[in-house]
Amino acid sequence: MQSEIRWLKCGDFADIVYEKADGMARVTIHRPHRRNAFTPDTVAEMIKAFNDARDDASIGVVLLRGANPQHDGKFAFCAGGDQKIRGEFSYLLRGKIVLTDMQSIGIGEKRDIET
């Protein structure tokens, strides 16, 4: 007979739920209204949770999952980056550019090089 895992909520996050139990950590992307699409805030929260799990010697495994079901009853792990906050070439967070499409600003483009 299996016993139920009793997850303990750790931290106060807006976009994720971070929990620990019995040598495990669990990070849940909790944006079901956007099919768990992530934003720069979501990424920052996940980094904080993963760093905490890494630094906790009692944690041996980290589980990553998406909150489900979605508002329409369907299931989605993560739809990727939230396109509603994406500007023409970058992700915007509270009006500031935080992630940029490097090719749009000329980095990573193929160029002819004169020798």
Side-chain angles (χ1 to χ4, degrees), residues 9 14 26 31 44 50 52 55 66 100 107:
K9 188 175 177 184
R26 181 167 70 180
R31 300 187 75 237
F50 286 129
D52 180 79
D55 295 340
T100 300
I107 298 173

Side-chain angles (χ1 to χ4, degrees), residues 27-48:
V27 177
T28 305
I29 303 169
H30 196 262
R31 300 187 75 237
H33 60 289
R34 300 290 303 141
R35 296 211 187 282
N36 297 320
F38 57 85
T39 68
D41 281 339
T42 313
V43 173
E45 290 180 4
M46 288 193 302
I47 289 170
K48 187 173 182 179

Side-chain angles (χ1 to χ4, degrees), residues 11-114:
D12 187 27
F13 298 101
D15 287 355
I16 69 167
V17 176
Y18 177 48
E19 303 163 298
K20 295 180 184 178
D22 303 326
M24 298 177 288
R26 181 167 70 180
V27 177
T28 305
I29 303 169
H30 196 262
R31 300 187 75 237
H33 60 289
R34 300 290 303 141
R35 296 211 187 282
N36 297 320
F38 57 85
T39 68
D41 281 339
T42 313
V43 173
E45 290 180 4
M46 288 193 302
I47 289 170
K48 187 173 182 179
F50 286 129
N51 284 341
D52 180 79
R54 177 199 61 211
D55 295 340
D56 185 337
S58 71
I59 300 299
V61 65
V62 178
L63 308 171
L64 176 61
R65 66 186 197 152
N68 281 297
Q70 307 299 305
H71 66 280
D72 59 4
K74 296 182 180 177
F75 290 79
F77 165 66
C78 177
D82 191 337
Q83 298 302 298
K84 283 204 172 199
I85 65 159
R86 185 171 166 81
E88 185 177 352
F89 298 118
S90 57
Y91 282 92
L92 305 173
L93 178 62
R94 292 183 283 280
K96 295 182 181 179
I97 295 174
V98 291
L99 297 173
T100 300
D101 174 0
M102 301 307 267
Q103 285 189 333
S104 68
I105 59 173
I107 298 173
E109 289 181 347
K110 292 183 178 180
R111 298 182 185 174
D112 291 332
I113 300 173
E114 293 182 25

